[in-house]
């Protein structure tokens, strides 16, 4: 027999809101880490650095021992890049071209796909849509991506616009006609108690 005075607790419901500035920063940081890892891996595959050890004899003026240096040598042109350990890529411009094209392809393909979001946005429960909540085309995604350069050129104000625009749009969003929406779990209003017999 059920208790007429007992009502089960209401469950949280997912609602879509506009993605705010700071959650978008978090998504950007995640995407930057993913892109950095991809570019690092591609760089190692395309232009692997080699390690060379040079040993110099002590000078005739004296000295307590040899001068030992470890240098990275670039296999593409066989010149010493540095006497301190660091990586330098010089694959005849190929890697430099990839560093320009890969981020653009990453954002455009992911945001125009059925996922409607990059991995960073997926982890932050966000999607990129048009003004009506629909999936965007690759052309619109490209406009949004390259519009970010304009947002950055005006001292980053184009990104800060997310803080005060009605739909939380950056300048690049306004130019491309896009929005970033976020799924949030919200508890519905509490149900009034049931009375009766």
């Amino acid at each position: 027999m059920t208790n007429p005075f007992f009502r089960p607790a209401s469950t949280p419901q997912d609602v879509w809101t506009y993605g705010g500035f700071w959650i978008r920063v978090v998504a950007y940081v995640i995407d930057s880490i993913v892109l950095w890892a991809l570019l690092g891996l591609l760089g190692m595959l395309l232009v692997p650095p080699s390690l060379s050890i040079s040993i110099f004899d002590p000078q005739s003026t004296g000295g307590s021992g040899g001068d030992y240096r470890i240098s990275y040598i670039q296999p593409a042109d066989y010149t010493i890049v540095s006497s301190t350990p660091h990586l330098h890529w010089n694959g005849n411009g190929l890697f430099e071209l990839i560093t320009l094209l890969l981020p653009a392809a990453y954002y455009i393909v992911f945001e125009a796909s059925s996922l409607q979001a990059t991995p960073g946005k997926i982890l932050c429960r966000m999607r990129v849509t048009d003004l009506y909540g629909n999936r965007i085309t690759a052309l619109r995604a490209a406009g949004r991506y390259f519009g970010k350069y304009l947002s950055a050129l005006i001292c980053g104000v184009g990104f800060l616009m997310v803080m005060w625009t009605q739909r939380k749009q950056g300048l690049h969003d306004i130019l491309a006609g896009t929005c970033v929406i976020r799924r949030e779990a919200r508890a519905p209003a509490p149900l009034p108690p049931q009375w009766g017999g």
Side-chain angles (χ1 to χ4, degrees), residues 4 7 29 60 63 74 76 91 107 110 117 120 132 136 141 148 170 188:
R7 294 189 73 174
V29 170
S60 58
Q74 178 58 261
Y107 282 97
F110 272 118
Y132 304 100
I136 62 173
K148 290 178 184 178

Side-chain angles (χ1 to χ4, degrees), residues 142-153:
R144 182 177 190 274
Y145 176 79
F146 291 109
K148 290 178 184 178
Y149 287 101
L150 182 58
S151 290
L153 279 175

